[in-house]
Amino acid sequence: NEGNEYFKEKDYGRAAAAYSEGLRRRCGDAELDAVLLTNRAAAHFHLGNYRSALNDVIQAKKLKPTHLKAIIRGALCHMELKNFVEAIAWCEEGLQIDSKERKLVEMRAKADKLKGTFLGTQTDFCTRRRCQGRAVTCSVCPGNIKLVLEPSDEEEEVSGGLAELSLDGLHSGSATGAKVHLDADGHLSWPVLFLYPEHEQTDFTVAFQENSRFIDHLMVMFAELPPWDVEKKYLPNNLELYFEDEEREEMYEVNPEHTLLQVLQHKRYFVKAGTPTVLVFAKRSPFSKKYFSGKKVHRL
């Protein structure tokens, strides 16, 4: 009930956290757990966390195979992720339960139309230029976002997918395939990489809508403590976010209340490989003090 109230207020981060708390109670009622999972999936969906939403509805469907809301939400997630063949399969599964469900009928037709013509989802922000020996920096004119496209030895398209990133020896995972794209409301959604240098861990958000706040995502991501946080320090309100200006070896603190767009528009923020990156530390941790040693840090 608490999650539903937050959802009505469009406070999707707190809604997801409330549904997570309900699931932690392990009530033993499979139908109620299926509802909680489906509702949390809806909150994830509105936050642009389509992969997390899809994982939730898959679990909900295991608990209640005929749960039509879960099937509809799963089809919607596949549509957003441009997995049109999978979207069709989910639609057909739902239509076996209710052959007149309007959302599924319309989505099935749309997915069938798009699957044969879809060639890619990334937005071409600026004309690609080839540059020998150095990265090419260009600005996304509408939002003044600076992209850094790494040069390639071959004549191939610069992908918006996640490339191998490194930061002081910390490497990203292989979360390839996600691209910046325009969502149904005409807003940009970005794949965003969260780095936790203290624990050499990462999180990858497939679709972080540009007008979403960081705190909203943190509330969802840390609704449950990650298994590597044995000291229980990584709580949503006990985190500090930064981005690094590698050229100047300077760190900039990020306000969790700010949107992704506000951060991307910072004069010293450069998006590499089409994937914005943010560093996350526990507040006042000895590790962060050591990490910042020798670097100029711009605090809020």
PDB file of all heavy atoms in Angstrom, residues 10 46-48 50 80 82 121-123 125 140 142-143 145 179-191 206-212 259-261 264-265:
ATOM      1  N   LYS A  10       4.123   9.629  -8.260  1.00  0.00           N
ATOM      2  CA  LYS A  10       5.209   9.543  -9.245  1.00  0.00           C
ATOM      3  C   LYS A  10       6.584   9.578  -8.598  1.00  0.00           C
ATOM      4  O   LYS A  10       7.570   9.977  -9.211  1.00  0.00           O
ATOM      5  CB  LYS A  10       5.088  10.652 -10.306  1.00  0.00           C
ATOM      6  CG  LYS A  10       3.800  10.553 -11.117  1.00  0.00           C
ATOM      7  CD  LYS A  10       3.758  11.579 -12.249  1.00  0.00           C
ATOM      8  CE  LYS A  10       2.475  11.423 -13.071  1.00  0.00           C
ATOM      9  NZ  LYS A  10       2.424  12.379 -14.189  1.00  0.00           N
ATOM     10  N   HIS A  46       9.388   3.162 -15.125  1.00  0.00           N
ATOM     11  CA  HIS A  46       9.268   4.621 -15.167  1.00  0.00           C
ATOM     12  C   HIS A  46      10.598   5.310 -14.874  1.00  0.00           C
ATOM     13  O   HIS A  46      10.789   6.463 -15.273  1.00  0.00           O
ATOM     14  CB  HIS A  46       8.199   5.084 -14.187  1.00  0.00           C
ATOM     15  CG  HIS A  46       6.803   4.865 -14.680  1.00  0.00           C
ATOM     16  ND1 HIS A  46       6.199   5.678 -15.619  1.00  0.00           N
ATOM     17  CD2 HIS A  46       5.885   3.897 -14.389  1.00  0.00           C
ATOM     18  CE1 HIS A  46       4.982   5.244 -15.884  1.00  0.00           C
ATOM     19  NE2 HIS A  46       4.764   4.159 -15.156  1.00  0.00           N
ATOM     20  N   LEU A  47      11.496   4.621 -14.203  1.00  0.00           N
ATOM     21  CA  LEU A  47      12.830   5.169 -13.954  1.00  0.00           C
ATOM     22  C   LEU A  47      13.786   4.898 -15.117  1.00  0.00           C
ATOM     23  O   LEU A  47      14.909   5.389 -15.127  1.00  0.00           O
ATOM     24  CB  LEU A  47      13.423   4.574 -12.667  1.00  0.00           C
ATOM     25  CG  LEU A  47      12.808   5.070 -11.357  1.00  0.00           C
ATOM     26  CD1 LEU A  47      13.271   4.193 -10.194  1.00  0.00           C
ATOM     27  CD2 LEU A  47      13.181   6.519 -11.102  1.00  0.00           C
ATOM     28  N   GLY A  48      13.324   4.118 -16.083  1.00  0.00           N
ATOM     29  CA  GLY A  48      14.176   3.795 -17.230  1.00  0.00           C
ATOM     30  C   GLY A  48      15.050   2.583 -17.011  1.00  0.00           C
ATOM     31  O   GLY A  48      15.909   2.281 -17.836  1.00  0.00           O
ATOM     32  N   TYR A  50      14.976  -0.648 -17.558  1.00  0.00           N
ATOM     33  CA  TYR A  50      14.179  -1.654 -18.255  1.00  0.00           C
ATOM     34  C   TYR A  50      14.655  -3.081 -17.992  1.00  0.00           C
ATOM     35  O   TYR A  50      13.853  -4.012 -17.932  1.00  0.00           O
ATOM     36  CB  TYR A  50      14.178  -1.373 -19.762  1.00  0.00           C
ATOM     37  CG  TYR A  50      13.671   0.008 -20.093  1.00  0.00           C
ATOM     38  CD1 TYR A  50      14.435   0.897 -20.853  1.00  0.00           C
ATOM     39  CD2 TYR A  50      12.438   0.452 -19.626  1.00  0.00           C
ATOM     40  CE1 TYR A  50      13.984   2.172 -21.143  1.00  0.00           C
ATOM     41  CE2 TYR A  50      11.978   1.723 -19.905  1.00  0.00           C
ATOM     42  CZ  TYR A  50      12.760   2.580 -20.663  1.00  0.00           C
ATOM     43  OH  TYR A  50      12.306   3.848 -20.940  1.00  0.00           O
ATOM     44  N   GLU A  80      11.043  -1.350 -25.355  1.00  0.00           N
ATOM     45  CA  GLU A  80      11.993  -0.274 -25.037  1.00  0.00           C
ATOM     46  C   GLU A  80      13.423  -0.697 -25.310  1.00  0.00           C
ATOM     47  O   GLU A  80      14.260   0.120 -25.704  1.00  0.00           O
ATOM     48  CB  GLU A  80      11.836   0.148 -23.574  1.00  0.00           C
ATOM     49  CG  GLU A  80      10.537   0.854 -23.248  1.00  0.00           C
ATOM     50  CD  GLU A  80      10.454   2.224 -23.895  1.00  0.00           C
ATOM     51  OE1 GLU A  80      11.501   2.808 -24.223  1.00  0.00           O
ATOM     52  OE2 GLU A  80       9.326   2.732 -24.078  1.00  0.00           O
ATOM     53  N   LYS A  82      14.271  -2.654 -27.643  1.00  0.00           N
ATOM     54  CA  LYS A  82      14.334  -2.957 -29.076  1.00  0.00           C
ATOM     55  C   LYS A  82      14.481  -4.447 -29.350  1.00  0.00           C
ATOM     56  O   LYS A  82      14.998  -4.854 -30.393  1.00  0.00           O
ATOM     57  CB  LYS A  82      15.475  -2.174 -29.766  1.00  0.00           C
ATOM     58  CG  LYS A  82      15.553  -0.706 -29.389  1.00  0.00           C
ATOM     59  CD  LYS A  82      14.270   0.042 -29.668  1.00  0.00           C
ATOM     60  CE  LYS A  82      14.364   1.504 -29.246  1.00  0.00           C
ATOM     61  NZ  LYS A  82      13.075   2.206 -29.308  1.00  0.00           N
ATOM     62  N   THR A 121      19.355   1.901 -32.751  1.00  0.00           N
ATOM     63  CA  THR A 121      18.555   2.844 -31.969  1.00  0.00           C
ATOM     64  C   THR A 121      19.306   4.112 -31.582  1.00  0.00           C
ATOM     65  O   THR A 121      18.735   5.001 -30.986  1.00  0.00           O
ATOM     66  CB  THR A 121      18.078   2.181 -30.673  1.00  0.00           C
ATOM     67  OG1 THR A 121      19.230   1.830 -29.902  1.00  0.00           O
ATOM     68  CG2 THR A 121      17.249   0.947 -30.961  1.00  0.00           C
ATOM     69  N   GLN A 122      20.578   4.175 -31.856  1.00  0.00           N
ATOM     70  CA  GLN A 122      21.327   5.330 -31.371  1.00  0.00           C
ATOM     71  C   GLN A 122      21.006   6.586 -32.172  1.00  0.00           C
ATOM     72  O   GLN A 122      20.690   6.534 -33.348  1.00  0.00           O
ATOM     73  CB  GLN A 122      22.838   5.049 -31.408  1.00  0.00           C
ATOM     74  CG  GLN A 122      23.420   4.922 -32.796  1.00  0.00           C
ATOM     75  CD  GLN A 122      24.870   4.495 -32.742  1.00  0.00           C
ATOM     76  OE1 GLN A 122      25.191   3.369 -33.033  1.00  0.00           O
ATOM     77  NE2 GLN A 122      25.740   5.399 -32.384  1.00  0.00           N
ATOM     78  N   THR A 123      21.024   7.729 -31.528  1.00  0.00           N
ATOM     79  CA  THR A 123      20.790   9.022 -32.147  1.00  0.00           C
ATOM     80  C   THR A 123      22.115   9.571 -32.658  1.00  0.00           C
ATOM     81  O   THR A 123      23.099   9.584 -31.938  1.00  0.00           O
ATOM     82  CB  THR A 123      20.209  10.004 -31.116  1.00  0.00           C
ATOM     83  OG1 THR A 123      19.018   9.419 -30.588  1.00  0.00           O
ATOM     84  CG2 THR A 123      19.886  11.337 -31.754  1.00  0.00           C
ATOM     85  N   PHE A 125      24.128  12.333 -33.037  1.00  0.00           N
ATOM     86  CA  PHE A 125      24.158  13.692 -32.508  1.00  0.00           C
ATOM     87  C   PHE A 125      24.968  14.643 -33.399  1.00  0.00           C
ATOM     88  O   PHE A 125      24.664  15.809 -33.527  1.00  0.00           O
ATOM     89  CB  PHE A 125      24.771  13.710 -31.102  1.00  0.00           C
ATOM     90  CG  PHE A 125      23.958  12.959 -30.118  1.00  0.00           C
ATOM     91  CD1 PHE A 125      24.456  11.809 -29.526  1.00  0.00           C
ATOM     92  CD2 PHE A 125      22.694  13.381 -29.776  1.00  0.00           C
ATOM     93  CE1 PHE A 125      23.695  11.111 -28.610  1.00  0.00           C
ATOM     94  CE2 PHE A 125      21.934  12.687 -28.856  1.00  0.00           C
ATOM     95  CZ  PHE A 125      22.447  11.558 -28.276  1.00  0.00           C
ATOM     96  N   VAL A 140      26.906  17.823 -28.218  1.00  0.00           N
ATOM     97  CA  VAL A 140      25.526  17.549 -28.552  1.00  0.00           C
ATOM     98  C   VAL A 140      24.815  18.881 -28.459  1.00  0.00           C
ATOM     99  O   VAL A 140      24.525  19.372 -27.389  1.00  0.00           O
ATOM    100  CB  VAL A 140      24.922  16.535 -27.565  1.00  0.00           C
ATOM    101  CG1 VAL A 140      23.485  16.220 -27.953  1.00  0.00           C
ATOM    102  CG2 VAL A 140      25.746  15.258 -27.555  1.00  0.00           C
ATOM    103  N   PRO A 142      21.807  20.359 -28.836  1.00  0.00           N
ATOM    104  CA  PRO A 142      20.619  20.744 -28.080  1.00  0.00           C
ATOM    105  C   PRO A 142      20.865  20.849 -26.587  1.00  0.00           C
ATOM    106  O   PRO A 142      20.263  21.665 -25.910  1.00  0.00           O
ATOM    107  CB  PRO A 142      19.622  19.626 -28.399  1.00  0.00           C
ATOM    108  CG  PRO A 142      20.098  19.043 -29.669  1.00  0.00           C
ATOM    109  CD  PRO A 142      21.590  19.157 -29.629  1.00  0.00           C
ATOM    110  N   GLY A 143      21.753  20.004 -26.035  1.00  0.00           N
ATOM    111  CA  GLY A 143      21.953  20.012 -24.592  1.00  0.00           C
ATOM    112  C   GLY A 143      23.351  20.398 -24.184  1.00  0.00           C
ATOM    113  O   GLY A 143      23.698  20.320 -23.015  1.00  0.00           O
ATOM    114  N   ILE A 145      26.101  18.805 -24.614  1.00  0.00           N
ATOM    115  CA  ILE A 145      26.751  17.631 -24.044  1.00  0.00           C
ATOM    116  C   ILE A 145      27.961  17.291 -24.897  1.00  0.00           C
ATOM    117  O   ILE A 145      27.867  17.206 -26.114  1.00  0.00           O
ATOM    118  CB  ILE A 145      25.775  16.440 -23.992  1.00  0.00           C
ATOM    119  CG1 ILE A 145      24.571  16.796 -23.118  1.00  0.00           C
ATOM    120  CG2 ILE A 145      26.461  15.198 -23.452  1.00  0.00           C
ATOM    121  CD1 ILE A 145      23.464  15.776 -23.166  1.00  0.00           C
ATOM    122  N   LYS A 179      22.515   1.603 -25.873  1.00  0.00           N
ATOM    123  CA  LYS A 179      22.819   2.823 -26.619  1.00  0.00           C
ATOM    124  C   LYS A 179      21.945   3.960 -26.133  1.00  0.00           C
ATOM    125  O   LYS A 179      20.828   3.746 -25.658  1.00  0.00           O
ATOM    126  CB  LYS A 179      22.584   2.609 -28.114  1.00  0.00           C
ATOM    127  CG  LYS A 179      23.397   1.490 -28.759  1.00  0.00           C
ATOM    128  CD  LYS A 179      23.054   1.374 -30.231  1.00  0.00           C
ATOM    129  CE  LYS A 179      23.842   0.253 -30.902  1.00  0.00           C
ATOM    130  NZ  LYS A 179      23.393  -1.068 -30.467  1.00  0.00           N
ATOM    131  N   VAL A 180      22.456   5.174 -26.289  1.00  0.00           N
ATOM    132  CA  VAL A 180      21.626   6.336 -26.016  1.00  0.00           C
ATOM    133  C   VAL A 180      20.519   6.389 -27.059  1.00  0.00           C
ATOM    134  O   VAL A 180      20.739   6.117 -28.233  1.00  0.00           O
ATOM    135  CB  VAL A 180      22.467   7.629 -26.024  1.00  0.00           C
ATOM    136  CG1 VAL A 180      23.181   7.840 -27.343  1.00  0.00           C
ATOM    137  CG2 VAL A 180      21.602   8.841 -25.696  1.00  0.00           C
ATOM    138  N   HIS A 181      19.298   6.695 -26.592  1.00  0.00           N
ATOM    139  CA  HIS A 181      18.177   6.706 -27.533  1.00  0.00           C
ATOM    140  C   HIS A 181      17.103   7.654 -27.030  1.00  0.00           C
ATOM    141  O   HIS A 181      17.093   8.067 -25.877  1.00  0.00           O
ATOM    142  CB  HIS A 181      17.603   5.300 -27.702  1.00  0.00           C
ATOM    143  CG  HIS A 181      17.010   4.727 -26.451  1.00  0.00           C
ATOM    144  ND1 HIS A 181      17.777   4.113 -25.479  1.00  0.00           N
ATOM    145  CD2 HIS A 181      15.730   4.694 -25.993  1.00  0.00           C
ATOM    146  CE1 HIS A 181      16.996   3.727 -24.490  1.00  0.00           C
ATOM    147  NE2 HIS A 181      15.748   4.066 -24.772  1.00  0.00           N
ATOM    148  N   LEU A 182      16.215   8.008 -27.922  1.00  0.00           N
ATOM    149  CA  LEU A 182      15.056   8.818 -27.561  1.00  0.00           C
ATOM    150  C   LEU A 182      13.949   7.887 -27.070  1.00  0.00           C
ATOM    151  O   LEU A 182      13.615   6.918 -27.734  1.00  0.00           O
ATOM    152  CB  LEU A 182      14.555   9.615 -28.775  1.00  0.00           C
ATOM    153  CG  LEU A 182      15.400  10.817 -29.196  1.00  0.00           C
ATOM    154  CD1 LEU A 182      14.897  11.345 -30.532  1.00  0.00           C
ATOM    155  CD2 LEU A 182      15.336  11.912 -28.147  1.00  0.00           C
ATOM    156  N   ASP A 183      13.383   8.222 -25.894  1.00  0.00           N
ATOM    157  CA  ASP A 183      12.292   7.398 -25.397  1.00  0.00           C
ATOM    158  C   ASP A 183      10.973   7.851 -26.012  1.00  0.00           C
ATOM    159  O   ASP A 183      10.920   8.760 -26.845  1.00  0.00           O
ATOM    160  CB  ASP A 183      12.244   7.411 -23.863  1.00  0.00           C
ATOM    161  CG  ASP A 183      11.955   8.794 -23.284  1.00  0.00           C
ATOM    162  OD1 ASP A 183      11.436   9.666 -24.008  1.00  0.00           O
ATOM    163  OD2 ASP A 183      12.252   9.009 -22.084  1.00  0.00           O
ATOM    164  N   ALA A 184       9.886   7.231 -25.574  1.00  0.00           N
ATOM    165  CA  ALA A 184       8.578   7.517 -26.161  1.00  0.00           C
ATOM    166  C   ALA A 184       8.135   8.957 -25.928  1.00  0.00           C
ATOM    167  O   ALA A 184       7.318   9.493 -26.684  1.00  0.00           O
ATOM    168  CB  ALA A 184       7.540   6.554 -25.589  1.00  0.00           C
ATOM    169  N   ASP A 185       8.679   9.595 -24.880  1.00  0.00           N
ATOM    170  CA  ASP A 185       8.310  10.980 -24.578  1.00  0.00           C
ATOM    171  C   ASP A 185       9.229  12.000 -25.241  1.00  0.00           C
ATOM    172  O   ASP A 185       9.102  13.210 -25.005  1.00  0.00           O
ATOM    173  CB  ASP A 185       8.324  11.204 -23.057  1.00  0.00           C
ATOM    174  CG  ASP A 185       7.291  10.351 -22.336  1.00  0.00           C
ATOM    175  OD1 ASP A 185       6.190  10.188 -22.902  1.00  0.00           O
ATOM    176  OD2 ASP A 185       7.578   9.837 -21.246  1.00  0.00           O
ATOM    177  N   GLY A 186      10.179  11.525 -26.047  1.00  0.00           N
ATOM    178  CA  GLY A 186      11.087  12.435 -26.736  1.00  0.00           C
ATOM    179  C   GLY A 186      12.276  12.866 -25.915  1.00  0.00           C
ATOM    180  O   GLY A 186      12.977  13.813 -26.276  1.00  0.00           O
ATOM    181  N   HIS A 187      12.531  12.172 -24.786  1.00  0.00           N
ATOM    182  CA  HIS A 187      13.684  12.493 -23.952  1.00  0.00           C
ATOM    183  C   HIS A 187      14.802  11.491 -24.222  1.00  0.00           C
ATOM    184  O   HIS A 187      14.547  10.324 -24.556  1.00  0.00           O
ATOM    185  CB  HIS A 187      13.318  12.453 -22.468  1.00  0.00           C
ATOM    186  CG  HIS A 187      12.265  13.441 -22.077  1.00  0.00           C
ATOM    187  ND1 HIS A 187      12.449  14.803 -22.142  1.00  0.00           N
ATOM    188  CD2 HIS A 187      11.004  13.262 -21.612  1.00  0.00           C
ATOM    189  CE1 HIS A 187      11.357  15.426 -21.740  1.00  0.00           C
ATOM    190  NE2 HIS A 187      10.456  14.517 -21.424  1.00  0.00           N
ATOM    191  N   LEU A 188      16.038  11.936 -24.036  1.00  0.00           N
ATOM    192  CA  LEU A 188      17.165  11.031 -24.205  1.00  0.00           C
ATOM    193  C   LEU A 188      17.293  10.116 -22.993  1.00  0.00           C
ATOM    194  O   LEU A 188      17.166  10.555 -21.853  1.00  0.00           O
ATOM    195  CB  LEU A 188      18.465  11.821 -24.377  1.00  0.00           C
ATOM    196  CG  LEU A 188      18.662  12.557 -25.707  1.00  0.00           C
ATOM    197  CD1 LEU A 188      19.955  13.352 -25.670  1.00  0.00           C
ATOM    198  CD2 LEU A 188      18.684  11.582 -26.866  1.00  0.00           C
ATOM    199  N   SER A 189      17.552   8.854 -23.251  1.00  0.00           N
ATOM    200  CA  SER A 189      17.878   7.897 -22.202  1.00  0.00           C
ATOM    201  C   SER A 189      19.273   7.354 -22.487  1.00  0.00           C
ATOM    202  O   SER A 189      19.568   6.973 -23.620  1.00  0.00           O
ATOM    203  CB  SER A 189      16.861   6.754 -22.157  1.00  0.00           C
ATOM    204  OG  SER A 189      15.640   7.187 -21.606  1.00  0.00           O
ATOM    205  N   TRP A 190      20.112   7.343 -21.452  1.00  0.00           N
ATOM    206  CA  TRP A 190      21.513   6.961 -21.600  1.00  0.00           C
ATOM    207  C   TRP A 190      21.817   5.682 -20.825  1.00  0.00           C
ATOM    208  O   TRP A 190      21.273   5.467 -19.751  1.00  0.00           O
ATOM    209  CB  TRP A 190      22.422   8.057 -21.048  1.00  0.00           C
ATOM    210  CG  TRP A 190      22.387   9.367 -21.765  1.00  0.00           C
ATOM    211  CD1 TRP A 190      21.439  10.334 -21.665  1.00  0.00           C
ATOM    212  CD2 TRP A 190      23.371   9.865 -22.678  1.00  0.00           C
ATOM    213  NE1 TRP A 190      21.753  11.401 -22.451  1.00  0.00           N
ATOM    214  CE2 TRP A 190      22.948  11.149 -23.088  1.00  0.00           C
ATOM    215  CE3 TRP A 190      24.567   9.353 -23.176  1.00  0.00           C
ATOM    216  CZ2 TRP A 190      23.680  11.928 -23.978  1.00  0.00           C
ATOM    217  CZ3 TRP A 190      25.305  10.131 -24.060  1.00  0.00           C
ATOM    218  CH2 TRP A 190      24.860  11.401 -24.457  1.00  0.00           C
ATOM    219  N   PRO A 191      22.739   4.864 -21.325  1.00  0.00           N
ATOM    220  CA  PRO A 191      23.316   3.823 -20.475  1.00  0.00           C
ATOM    221  C   PRO A 191      24.303   4.497 -19.528  1.00  0.00           C
ATOM    222  O   PRO A 191      25.116   5.316 -19.963  1.00  0.00           O
ATOM    223  CB  PRO A 191      24.041   2.909 -21.479  1.00  0.00           C
ATOM    224  CG  PRO A 191      24.376   3.808 -22.629  1.00  0.00           C
ATOM    225  CD  PRO A 191      23.292   4.854 -22.698  1.00  0.00           C
ATOM    226  N   VAL A 206      20.756   0.510 -17.902  1.00  0.00           N
ATOM    227  CA  VAL A 206      20.603   0.481 -19.361  1.00  0.00           C
ATOM    228  C   VAL A 206      20.006   1.779 -19.900  1.00  0.00           C
ATOM    229  O   VAL A 206      20.445   2.289 -20.933  1.00  0.00           O
ATOM    230  CB  VAL A 206      19.722  -0.713 -19.782  1.00  0.00           C
ATOM    231  CG1 VAL A 206      19.402  -0.654 -21.269  1.00  0.00           C
ATOM    232  CG2 VAL A 206      20.426  -2.024 -19.462  1.00  0.00           C
ATOM    233  N   ALA A 207      19.011   2.324 -19.195  1.00  0.00           N
ATOM    234  CA  ALA A 207      18.311   3.512 -19.710  1.00  0.00           C
ATOM    235  C   ALA A 207      18.035   4.487 -18.577  1.00  0.00           C
ATOM    236  O   ALA A 207      17.039   4.377 -17.872  1.00  0.00           O
ATOM    237  CB  ALA A 207      17.013   3.109 -20.402  1.00  0.00           C
ATOM    238  N   PHE A 208      18.942   5.434 -18.398  1.00  0.00           N
ATOM    239  CA  PHE A 208      18.822   6.484 -17.383  1.00  0.00           C
ATOM    240  C   PHE A 208      18.267   7.710 -18.100  1.00  0.00           C
ATOM    241  O   PHE A 208      18.961   8.364 -18.858  1.00  0.00           O
ATOM    242  CB  PHE A 208      20.198   6.776 -16.791  1.00  0.00           C
ATOM    243  CG  PHE A 208      20.213   7.588 -15.523  1.00  0.00           C
ATOM    244  CD1 PHE A 208      20.967   7.173 -14.436  1.00  0.00           C
ATOM    245  CD2 PHE A 208      19.509   8.772 -15.414  1.00  0.00           C
ATOM    246  CE1 PHE A 208      21.005   7.915 -13.270  1.00  0.00           C
ATOM    247  CE2 PHE A 208      19.535   9.531 -14.259  1.00  0.00           C
ATOM    248  CZ  PHE A 208      20.286   9.100 -13.179  1.00  0.00           C
ATOM    249  N   GLN A 209      16.988   8.001 -17.878  1.00  0.00           N
ATOM    250  CA  GLN A 209      16.343   9.117 -18.569  1.00  0.00           C
ATOM    251  C   GLN A 209      16.987  10.430 -18.135  1.00  0.00           C
ATOM    252  O   GLN A 209      17.261  10.636 -16.952  1.00  0.00           O
ATOM    253  CB  GLN A 209      14.837   9.116 -18.260  1.00  0.00           C
ATOM    254  CG  GLN A 209      14.018   9.765 -19.344  1.00  0.00           C
ATOM    255  CD  GLN A 209      13.570  11.160 -18.950  1.00  0.00           C
ATOM    256  OE1 GLN A 209      14.063  11.739 -18.008  1.00  0.00           O
ATOM    257  NE2 GLN A 209      12.637  11.682 -19.692  1.00  0.00           N
ATOM    258  N   GLU A 210      17.260  11.331 -19.085  1.00  0.00           N
ATOM    259  CA  GLU A 210      18.056  12.523 -18.811  1.00  0.00           C
ATOM    260  C   GLU A 210      17.456  13.438 -17.747  1.00  0.00           C
ATOM    261  O   GLU A 210      18.178  14.178 -17.080  1.00  0.00           O
ATOM    262  CB  GLU A 210      18.282  13.325 -20.099  1.00  0.00           C
ATOM    263  CG  GLU A 210      16.998  13.844 -20.735  1.00  0.00           C
ATOM    264  CD  GLU A 210      17.250  14.593 -22.027  1.00  0.00           C
ATOM    265  OE1 GLU A 210      18.424  14.812 -22.368  1.00  0.00           O
ATOM    266  OE2 GLU A 210      16.270  14.963 -22.707  1.00  0.00           O
ATOM    267  N   ASN A 211      16.141  13.387 -17.551  1.00  0.00           N
ATOM    268  CA  ASN A 211      15.498  14.239 -16.553  1.00  0.00           C
ATOM    269  C   ASN A 211      15.259  13.525 -15.228  1.00  0.00           C
ATOM    270  O   ASN A 211      14.607  14.069 -14.340  1.00  0.00           O
ATOM    271  CB  ASN A 211      14.168  14.785 -17.095  1.00  0.00           C
ATOM    272  CG  ASN A 211      14.395  15.788 -18.220  1.00  0.00           C
ATOM    273  OD1 ASN A 211      15.349  16.550 -18.182  1.00  0.00           O
ATOM    274  ND2 ASN A 211      13.531  15.771 -19.222  1.00  0.00           N
ATOM    275  N   SER A 212      15.794  12.315 -15.082  1.00  0.00           N
ATOM    276  CA  SER A 212      15.705  11.584 -13.819  1.00  0.00           C
ATOM    277  C   SER A 212      16.833  12.032 -12.897  1.00  0.00           C
ATOM    278  O   SER A 212      17.952  12.310 -13.342  1.00  0.00           O
ATOM    279  CB  SER A 212      15.803  10.077 -14.040  1.00  0.00           C
ATOM    280  OG  SER A 212      14.697   9.607 -14.761  1.00  0.00           O
ATOM    281  N   THR A 259      19.638  16.087 -11.908  1.00  0.00           N
ATOM    282  CA  THR A 259      19.299  15.134 -12.965  1.00  0.00           C
ATOM    283  C   THR A 259      20.556  14.759 -13.744  1.00  0.00           C
ATOM    284  O   THR A 259      21.594  15.436 -13.658  1.00  0.00           O
ATOM    285  CB  THR A 259      18.275  15.738 -13.936  1.00  0.00           C
ATOM    286  OG1 THR A 259      18.887  16.857 -14.617  1.00  0.00           O
ATOM    287  CG2 THR A 259      17.030  16.208 -13.202  1.00  0.00           C
ATOM    288  N   LEU A 260      20.439  13.696 -14.515  1.00  0.00           N
ATOM    289  CA  LEU A 260      21.562  13.288 -15.363  1.00  0.00           C
ATOM    290  C   LEU A 260      21.926  14.410 -16.330  1.00  0.00           C
ATOM    291  O   LEU A 260      23.107  14.679 -16.555  1.00  0.00           O
ATOM    292  CB  LEU A 260      21.189  12.018 -16.128  1.00  0.00           C
ATOM    293  CG  LEU A 260      22.201  11.527 -17.160  1.00  0.00           C
ATOM    294  CD1 LEU A 260      23.529  11.191 -16.516  1.00  0.00           C
ATOM    295  CD2 LEU A 260      21.648  10.317 -17.917  1.00  0.00           C
ATOM    296  N   LEU A 261      20.926  15.076 -16.898  1.00  0.00           N
ATOM    297  CA  LEU A 261      21.191  16.141 -17.861  1.00  0.00           C
ATOM    298  C   LEU A 261      21.999  17.264 -17.228  1.00  0.00           C
ATOM    299  O   LEU A 261      22.920  17.807 -17.854  1.00  0.00           O
ATOM    300  CB  LEU A 261      19.880  16.690 -18.429  1.00  0.00           C
ATOM    301  CG  LEU A 261      20.012  17.799 -19.479  1.00  0.00           C
ATOM    302  CD1 LEU A 261      20.810  17.312 -20.685  1.00  0.00           C
ATOM    303  CD2 LEU A 261      18.633  18.285 -19.924  1.00  0.00           C
ATOM    304  N   LEU A 264      25.560  16.067 -17.165  1.00  0.00           N
ATOM    305  CA  LEU A 264      26.157  15.974 -18.503  1.00  0.00           C
ATOM    306  C   LEU A 264      26.471  17.346 -19.088  1.00  0.00           C
ATOM    307  O   LEU A 264      27.371  17.484 -19.920  1.00  0.00           O
ATOM    308  CB  LEU A 264      25.218  15.220 -19.445  1.00  0.00           C
ATOM    309  CG  LEU A 264      24.919  13.756 -19.111  1.00  0.00           C
ATOM    310  CD1 LEU A 264      24.036  13.147 -20.187  1.00  0.00           C
ATOM    311  CD2 LEU A 264      26.199  12.953 -18.948  1.00  0.00           C
ATOM    312  N   GLN A 265      25.727  18.371 -18.662  1.00  0.00           N
ATOM    313  CA  GLN A 265      25.939  19.714 -19.191  1.00  0.00           C
ATOM    314  C   GLN A 265      27.058  20.463 -18.483  1.00  0.00           C
ATOM    315  O   GLN A 265      27.397  21.582 -18.875  1.00  0.00           O
ATOM    316  CB  GLN A 265      24.640  20.516 -19.090  1.00  0.00           C
ATOM    317  CG  GLN A 265      23.578  20.063 -20.070  1.00  0.00           C
ATOM    318  CD  GLN A 265      22.279  20.839 -19.926  1.00  0.00           C
ATOM    319  OE1 GLN A 265      21.931  21.289 -18.840  1.00  0.00           O
ATOM    320  NE2 GLN A 265      21.558  21.014 -21.013  1.00  0.00           N
TER     321      GLN A 265
END
